[in-house]
Amino acid sequence: MRSPKLPGPALALLVLLLLLPPPGSAGGPAPFDPTWESLDARQLPAWFDKAKFGIFIHWGVFSVPSFGSEWFWWYWQKEKIPAYVDFMKNNYPPDFTYEDFGPLFTAKFFDANQWADILQASGAKYVVLTSKHHEGFTLWGSEYSWTWNAVDEGPKRDIVKELAVAVRNRTDLRFGLYYSLFEWFHPLFLEDESSSFQKRQYPVSKMLPELYELVNKYQPEVLWADGDGGAPDTYWKSVDFLAWLYNESPVRDTVVTNDRWGAGSICKHGGYYTCSDRYNPGHLLPHKWENCMTIDKFSWGYRRNAGISDYLTIEELVKQLVQTVSCGGNLLMNIGPTRDGTISAIFEERLRQMGIWLKVNGEAIYETYAWRSQNDTVTPDVWYTSKPKDKLVYALFLKWPVSGQLLLGQPKATLGATKVKLLGHGQPLHWTPLKQNGIKVDLPQVTIHQMPCQWGWALALTNVT
């Protein structure tokens, strides 16, 4: 077949287009190829490692039964766990379905500005909201989740948009979104699964178009994938999507992603590693990682049946943050709002307590680097961070010694050059060298009310090696 003749201007335009460099190459790094080798070589945007602390929010239709776990639907209908079956039997009519919870997810008291103010008060630097969990209900009016979304059902509001606007207008946090790749009971996914994922109807017609819509519409700077459903990354076309995300998307320069892009990719491929829920290795890792964990020890979603001892104390949360950051990780701390959109008092208290602690000790957390030793060899519950450019090492200690003297086995100090201060106190502290290695620091003699903070303290050590 002969090529049609092009008129002069059209031919010139075609030649110009052919001469233009591909997207992303002009004045910037070479585009990423849709291969793990290429994608894994992408440098993580610097803001993420500096941030250190984020808030996870698990909210969805599972917040209506608010019993047991956000996996309520699965445990009730698929695994038929007696506690969940009995809960439904005792509280709802026999013909009640999970979809019937949709209209009851009212978000009646949801105030995005109030949420944003609480997030800002927590001292966190980013937030990640569940835009869609494994139940498939989207917190925005997804074009690919007809009637099973927050605009058509329940709140009749675009939750993602409201929170994104409030966070960006009222806080210094980066806005991020969690997205579950699979859905437990989506008929197309189940059909694909029954073909051992030889069929790819679900990712092509549902998951991928929805992800593109989510990124283009709300421009999240964290994209937190989850739920591979046992399918490999080739089924999800993960590398193709990530190549677009890094090369052409509106957030290509600042977006960070995790490692949950298909069976076998966790702790191996992607942006930063999460490895497992509540991952806290206690030692330095060569790759940037995140400890995603929950204030409620047993659930990510809100539980009406949680007791006070089910929640981590502020002391336990501070310890998680200090351990995680000293080992090079970020802490992503989860709360679960109620079905009507309130952040319960115990979650709000924990968030505000973290903020109070970080106001004093944030210097030892934000924008720090792991030191040569992560924890001390002489005194337990002492963890280290550093700022090499400022010649600073921070010793974060979680128990105030009864003697008023803190023994540190790791720092090598120099008389006349090394200075020690307690953050929030300000006055230089007296120290003496230990016989072999380390120093003994005389802490200020203060009453509990005069302490700069509670729940953990930080010493700033200048000129130690």
Side-chain angles (χ1 to χ4, degrees):
M1 184 177 175
R2 292 176 65 188
S3 301
K5 284 190 176 179
L6 290 169
L11 182 61
L13 180 62
L14 178 62
V15 170
L16 179 64
L17 286 171
L18 290 170
L19 291 173
L20 282 173
S25 64
F32 295 94
D33 298 323
T35 64
W36 284 125
E37 185 183 12
S38 176
L39 298 168
D40 290 346
R42 177 181 183 254
Q43 195 170 354
L44 202 67
W47 73 262
F48 184 74
D49 182 54
K50 292 176 180 178
K52 305 300 183 192
F53 179 43
I55 303 298
F56 217 167
I57 302 175
H58 272 67
W59 200 32
V61 172
F62 51 80
S63 307
V64 178
S66 51
F67 175 86
S69 165
E70 72 290 344
W71 279 56
F72 183 92
W73 193 3
W74 181 264
Y75 291 155
W76 167 41
Q77 292 283 14
K78 183 71 176 176
E79 295 195 8
K80 302 190 188 304
I81 293 174
Y84 292 81
V85 173
D86 292 345
F87 174 82
M88 290 305 297
K89 218 178 265 183
N90 297 334
N91 295 287
Y92 295 92
D95 58 348
F96 195 94
T97 67
Y98 191 81
E99 286 85 350
D100 292 329
F101 283 125
L104 304 176
F105 179 49
T106 61
K108 188 189 298 182
F109 300 122
F110 171 58
D111 180 344
N113 289 336
Q114 183 190 38
W115 280 28
D117 292 347
I118 294 170
L119 292 169
Q120 178 71 15
S122 76
K125 297 301 180 187
Y126 61 104
V127 59
V128 179
L129 171 71
T130 52
S131 68
K132 183 195 78 166
H133 201 258
H134 312 324
E135 65 187 12
F137 188 90
T138 65
L139 294 189
W140 82 100
S142 167
E143 291 180 26
Y144 307 94
S145 191
W146 185 63
T147 74
W148 192 233
N149 68 73
V151 173
D152 294 334
E153 186 74 280
K156 303 284 175 75
R157 296 161 69 176
D158 187 336
I159 301 293
V160 174
K161 181 182 178 182
E162 288 185 40
L163 189 60
V165 168
V167 165
R168 286 168 175 150
N169 286 348
R170 299 173 75 92
T171 79
D172 61 1
L173 281 79
R174 307 265 183 162
F175 182 73
L177 291 170
Y178 163 109
Y179 180 86
S180 173
L181 304 180
F182 90 131
E183 295 171 23
W184 288 315
F185 302 112
H186 196 290
L188 290 181
F189 176 77
L190 295 176
E191 198 178 320
D192 290 354
E193 186 181 37
S194 67
S195 76
S196 299
F197 302 114
Q198 295 308 301
K199 290 182 180 177
R200 294 179 181 173
Q201 303 167 90
Y202 173 78
V204 169
S205 61
K206 175 69 161 77
M207 163 261 185
L208 284 166
E210 203 161 62
L211 261 183
Y212 285 113
E213 178 187 65
L214 194 65
V215 172
N216 281 318
K217 204 167 183 180
Y218 304 106
Q219 303 188 12
E221 290 185 276
V222 180
L223 190 58
W224 216 99
D226 191 27
D228 58 46
D233 62 85
T234 49
Y235 168 77
W236 297 113
K237 295 186 178 293
S238 299
V239 293
D240 299 284
F241 171 76
L242 289 171
W244 170 81
L245 185 71
Y246 295 166
N247 289 330
E248 300 175 52
S249 80
V251 287
R252 60 188 174 272
D253 296 327
T254 57
V255 71
V256 295
T257 61
N258 65 347
D259 55 350
R260 303 186 181 195
W261 293 99
S265 76
I266 195 165
C267 222
K268 188 178 176 184
H269 294 302
Y272 61 86
Y273 292 169
T274 62
C275 298
S276 65
D277 292 350
R278 304 178 180 85
Y279 182 68
N280 190 5
H283 58 84
L284 189 62
L285 294 185
H287 192 94
K288 184 64 189 179
W289 61 281
E290 181 184 69
N291 173 6
C292 61
M293 46 71 71
T294 57
I295 297 176
D296 177 347
K297 299 172 194 173
F298 304 106
S299 176
W300 298 81
Y302 176 72
R303 290 189 306 142
R304 286 180 286 171
N305 59 322
I308 189 70
S309 62
D310 293 342
Y311 296 99
L312 291 175
T313 63
I314 184 58
E315 290 87 354
E316 290 170 317
L317 292 171
V318 166
K319 185 174 182 175
Q320 286 273 329
L321 177 66
V322 168
Q323 281 185 331
T324 299
V325 173
S326 70
C327 295
N330 279 19
L331 186 73
L332 185 62
M333 189 174 84
N334 179 74
I335 61 169
T338 66
R339 70 176 184 177
D340 51 21
T342 57
I343 294 172
S344 64
I346 193 156
F347 285 136
E348 181 176 347
E349 182 189 51
R350 294 292 185 272
L351 294 180
R352 291 188 182 277
Q353 285 173 325
M354 287 294 273
I356 289 166
W357 188 85
L358 281 163
K359 267 197 171 152
V360 175
N361 300 291
E363 180 189 327
I365 298 292
Y366 306 124
E367 301 190 26
T368 58
Y369 297 86
W371 194 44
R372 60 171 175 80
S373 291
Q374 278 59 69
N375 57 326
D376 198 63
T377 48
V378 172
T379 304
D381 277 330
V382 175
W383 298 82
Y384 293 103
T385 60
S386 73
K387 288 183 178 171
K389 281 185 183 175
D390 300 325
K391 296 183 178 177
L392 279 167
V393 171
Y394 299 96
L396 295 115
F397 58 107
L398 303 173
K399 291 173 186 169
W400 191 278
V402 177
S403 66
Q405 295 178 325
L406 185 66
L407 305 182
L408 300 176
Q410 282 301 312
K412 294 174 183 173
T414 307
L415 287 167
T418 297
K419 291 184 173 58
V420 180
K421 284 186 179 180
L422 178 70
L423 294 188
H425 177 68
Q427 298 302 314
L429 303 182
H430 178 259
W431 64 269
T432 51
L434 294 177
K435 278 184 181 176
Q436 291 186 324
N437 280 319
I439 59 174
K440 179 173 70 177
V441 179
D442 296 325
L443 297 173
Q445 294 181 335
V446 291
T447 67
I448 194 164
H449 301 294
Q450 293 171 318
M451 284 185 174
C453 59
Q454 301 174 57
W455 321 307
W457 303 267
L459 293 178
L461 314 175
T462 310
N463 295 317
V464 296
T465 56

